[in-house]
Amino acid sequence: MGHADTGVAVTGVGVVTPAGTDEHTFWAGLCAGRSVARRCDELAGLPVDFACPVDGLDLDTAVGGRSVWRMARFVKLALIAARQAVADAGLSPDDWDGTRVGVVLGVGVGGVSLLVDNLRKLDEEGPETVSPLLVPMMIPNAAAGELAIALRAHGPSLAPATACASGATAIAVGRDLLTSGRCDAVVAGGAEAALTPLVVSAFAKLGALSTRTCDPAGASRPFAADRDGFVLGEGAAVVVLERTDDALARGGRPRALLAGAGFSTDGHHPTAPAPDGHGAQWAVEAALHQAGWAPGEVGHINAHGTSTPLNDAMETALISRLFPHRPSVTAPKGVLGHTLAAAGAIEAVATVLTLEQGIVPPIANLDALPDGFELDCVTKAPRHQPVERAVSHSFGFGGHNVALAFARV
């Protein structure tokens, strides 16, 4: 295979989300525009007792095999999504040169539930009850490592941790591995499973979560005037990336082009975004520059849209300033909740599907924009819109900003 930069294609996608556990159910759930948030028994008694869990899928059965016992929940989610993506790409570990295949899997928290369970055992029953597998199961790079084992991928295996931008960071890094010639295929995405009382309580104390306990399904409302915080979710999404010419040469099916990716850092605050949005704008401009696009050529934006007062105001300022032609805007977190490290990868898949289908999913629970929010948000029902070029935004605690520029094939 050649190593020149002939453009990078998404040739496979896989998703395990609160709205659906494969591409088709996920897309149907997203287009339905209804939040899947619900009360969770494991969160009973907490000030915030609702979230967006992955339901209706037995992870152990879906993963199968004898090694499932050693995997944390976030690893299982990642592996299921990765298998979907590789199959969708028409690839198989039986056929590829594993030394030319990379894995980049973003994770924010890792196996926190295992850590909590073992700490309880340590306190109550003593050190002999701590699992010898605690460390390899809980470390954030466990998902990247297990994917590499399962897929017999012997190229670079990386686990970027850029908080809520981790999944998008992974896809951007995957693109770099291809354009630099280090890999011929990259399996990239993000996974998170942190719906534990400890994590939910911590986000609640931080003031980041919606407190609409009387209406969980109405709590996540990106860009709405009465938004009051995000709803925690879990999930995973993975894409297969290849150089476009290589994919076509093997008879592969490019589903979208990853035309550009941009990174930046606010350097402003540990949790709050820079209010003017200039840090985030640098990432978007870098993605556009790499793609060779002018801002006016972008027809759609998949917004980070967390439903928090600070993020949505910042993102509105950014979009209004850089894209005055008012491209359509959607925000999947209204339906899915905030899946943290998985969010950027899930939203990348959503952007690919928008390009393919010519459909923009609506933002859940958005009835009215605040005064001064001059955005063309898609609400109430999916919008049929042929989109040639789209940008997906991901912003994380620590000021991490990533923008991915996708083009229709």
Side-chain angles (χ1 to χ4, degrees), residues 13 15 19-31 84 88 253 255 349 353 356-357:
V13 302
V15 286
T21 55
D22 58 46
E23 172 192 334
H24 303 292
T25 56
F26 159 70
W27 185 240
L30 206 57
C31 287
Q84 291 178 12
D88 182 46
R253 174 185 58 129
R255 301 191 59 173
V349 172
L353 293 173
E356 280 190 331
Q357 304 291 331

Side-chain angles (χ1 to χ4, degrees), residues 2-408:
H3 297 160
D5 182 4
T6 57
V8 170
V10 177
T11 57
V13 302
V15 286
V16 184
T17 79
T21 55
D22 58 46
E23 172 192 334
H24 303 292
T25 56
F26 159 70
W27 185 240
L30 206 57
C31 287
R34 293 187 298 272
S35 171
V36 297
R38 64 168 176 82
R39 287 191 172 82
C40 301
D41 291 344
E42 59 270 32
L43 304 179
L46 299 181
V48 176
D49 60 359
F50 59 93
C52 292
V54 171
D55 289 326
L57 181 66
D58 185 314
L59 299 190
D60 288 354
T61 300
V63 171
R66 291 181 295 177
S67 59
V68 67
W69 60 272
R70 74 182 186 212
M71 297 180 187
R73 183 174 176 85
F74 78 100
V75 176
K76 297 172 188 176
L77 292 168
L79 183 54
I80 295 166
R83 286 176 175 167
Q84 291 178 12
V86 171
D88 182 46
L91 293 169
S92 169
D94 293 334
D95 302 325
W96 63 30
D97 176 2
T99 64
R100 301 290 301 164
V101 178
V103 172
V104 192
L105 205 291
V107 178
V109 177
V112 64
S113 62
L114 292 165
L115 181 62
V116 170
D117 290 345
N118 277 269
L119 179 59
R120 186 179 297 114
K121 289 180 180 179
L122 176 65
D123 288 343
E124 295 176 357
E125 304 175 48
E128 66 279 1
T129 63
V130 173
S131 171
L133 293 177
L134 172 60
V135 171
M137 288 178 73
M138 78 171 186
I139 51 179
N141 65 304
E146 289 284 5
L147 261 60
I149 293 168
L151 300 175
R152 299 199 289 281
H154 304 294
S157 178
L158 306 172
T162 52
C164 306
S166 299
T169 299
I171 292 171
V173 170
R175 184 184 189 279
D176 289 346
L177 290 174
L178 289 166
T179 58
S180 69
R182 292 180 181 273
C183 295
D184 293 330
V186 178
V187 179
E192 199 83 271
L195 300 185
T196 69
L198 177 64
V199 173
V200 172
S201 297
F203 274 119
K205 288 287 285 185
L206 190 62
L209 299 185
S210 171
T211 57
R212 289 177 189 266
T213 54
C214 60
D215 182 22
S220 185
R221 41 205 315 115
F223 298 106
D226 56 351
R227 67 196 185 279
D228 72 326
F230 66 76
V231 177
L232 201 62
E234 64 175 357
V238 170
V239 298
V240 174
L241 303 174
E242 301 176 71
R243 285 182 293 274
T244 307
D245 286 354
D246 292 346
L248 293 171
R250 70 167 179 85
R253 174 185 58 129
R255 301 191 59 173
L257 304 180
L258 179 53
F263 306 88
S264 71
T265 307
D266 283 355
H268 170 73
H269 189 272
T271 59
D276 59 14
H278 283 296
Q281 184 171 330
W282 297 329
V284 179
E285 289 174 333
L288 296 178
H289 177 75
Q290 194 170 67
W293 302 349
E297 295 179 279
V298 174
H300 170 64
I301 294 172
N302 192 302
H304 188 58
T306 58
S307 182
T308 61
L310 293 179
N311 174 86
D312 294 3
M314 176 279 288
E315 196 166 10
T316 296
L318 156 65
I319 295 170
S320 300
R321 184 169 56 242
L322 190 58
F323 302 104
H325 61 291
R326 296 184 64 179
S328 62
V329 175
T330 194
K333 293 179 181 70
V335 172
L336 305 170
H338 194 344
T339 57
L340 305 180
I346 292 172
E347 290 158 18
V349 172
T351 307
V352 168
L353 293 173
T354 284
L355 291 165
E356 280 190 331
Q357 304 291 331
I359 296 173
V360 179
I363 301 174
N365 299 317
L366 178 55
D367 298 317
L369 288 168
D371 292 341
F373 275 36
E374 299 296 329
L375 302 178
D376 181 17
C377 289
V378 178
T379 64
K380 308 300 184 186
R383 179 185 297 179
H384 291 265
Q385 176 195 348
V387 178
E388 296 293 328
R389 297 177 179 86
V391 175
S392 184
H393 295 168
S394 294
F395 312 128
F397 280 3
H400 302 286
N401 306 308
V402 180
L404 302 175
F406 291 98
R408 191 166 75 89

